[in-house]
Amino acid sequence: MSVLERKQEVEARIATVCRESGRQENDIKIIAVTKYVSLETTEQVLNTGLQHIGENRWQDVKPKWEALHERGTWHFLGHLQTNKVKDVIGKFAYIHSLDRMSLAKELDKQAAGLGITVNCFLQVNISGEATKYGVSPEDFFQFAEEVSKLTHIRVCGLMTMAPYELESEETRPVFRGLRELRDQLNERRIFPYEVTELSMGMSGDFDVAIQEGATWVRLGTVLVGKEG
């Protein structure tokens, strides 16, 4: 199946979920996760009209970014080491994995040096899995307070990952938990603007994530296939 055919199938599924759950289709944005596919396939993704490309590691994305960055909006999804910030800052429009203050301070410092503001999602480990990155829900509000003092970071939303081994319906409490944290964050007015976005839902569970309020879904295999 071609990337275009997969895109059409995914869009049809999103349309159905939105219709059934009272969401608006244009509130849902698709990030094509291209970390396991080639430069050629990534180009095919952009050729279908998809705008948002998601990658996890700079050393893997570098040739793709150098060839194609003018054509899309790039999202950094993976765990970001502090010493790698200089590689990704200014190249990725969104960082989805802000999960600790050492990273926040380095992003702020590098962004200040470039005279830019970097759009970030605060990554929260809702499920509590030891293998997942992200700030704990218990530490979340204190973390948000500290990040709010940094002048070159704009927190546009929250991000989480559900456990891979769960059936899609079992992921619902994870996604609902993230939405509730975002709503509480706005009620507390920690940031001087509304934090609106929820980056949650992947190939196996994006339908449930959309029902629970996702605004960005991160789709790999179901959208771009798998190579190798």
Side-chain angles (χ1 to χ4, degrees), residues 21-164:
S21 57
R23 301 283 312 276
Q24 297 295 315
E25 278 180 69
N26 58 7
D27 290 340
I28 318 299
K29 297 170 282 289
I30 296 171
I31 301 169
V33 181
T34 53
K35 61 182 178 178
Y36 294 128
V37 298
S38 64
L39 167 60
E40 291 72 27
T41 301
T42 305
E43 188 170 19
Q44 288 173 27
V45 169
L46 290 164
N47 288 345
T48 69
L50 288 165
Q51 292 291 311
H52 298 280
I53 301 294
E55 286 277 347
N56 278 39
R57 288 155 54 95
W58 172 245
Q59 54 266 48
D60 297 333
V61 68
K62 187 171 183 283
K64 300 177 195 176
W65 186 89
E66 288 174 345
L68 300 170
H69 70 273
E70 292 179 353
R71 294 191 51 197
T73 300
W74 294 69
H75 298 248
F76 192 89
L77 306 177
H79 181 67
L80 182 56
Q81 295 173 296
T82 307
N83 64 356
K84 300 290 185 186
V85 167
K86 62 185 183 300
D87 294 327
V88 306
I89 195 82
K91 299 182 179 76
F92 291 82
Y94 297 90
I95 308 289
H96 287 243
S97 48
L98 177 51
D99 62 352
R100 59 201 188 281
M101 273 315 293
S102 58
L103 177 59
K105 288 175 180 175
E106 185 64 20
L107 283 165
D108 188 64
K109 176 181 145 190
Q110 297 280 351
L114 294 172
I116 63 172
T117 299
V118 59
N119 294 305
C120 292
F121 289 78
L122 303 182
Q123 183 173 357
V124 190
N125 186 354
I126 297 284
S127 66
E129 284 183 284
T131 55
K132 293 273 196 297
Y133 292 106
V135 64
S136 71
E138 294 75 27
D139 295 334
F140 171 73
F141 293 109
Q142 182 182 347
F143 178 56
E145 289 271 12
E146 293 178 15
V147 172
S148 73
K149 297 168 186 168
L150 301 175
T151 54
H152 292 271
I153 288 177
R154 181 177 179 86
V155 172
C156 54
L158 310 186
M159 185 273 254
T160 200
M161 298 170 68
Y164 295 121

Side-chain angles (χ1 to χ4, degrees), residues 152-183:
H152 292 271
I153 288 177
R154 181 177 179 86
V155 172
C156 54
L158 310 186
M159 185 273 254
T160 200
M161 298 170 68
Y164 295 121
E165 64 275 8
L166 291 184
E167 294 294 324
S168 62
E169 184 59 34
E170 294 175 305
T171 63
R172 189 175 299 280
V174 175
F175 300 137
R176 182 172 294 159
L178 193 74
R179 171 168 49 85
E180 290 171 349
L181 271 187
R182 181 205 58 189
D183 294 347

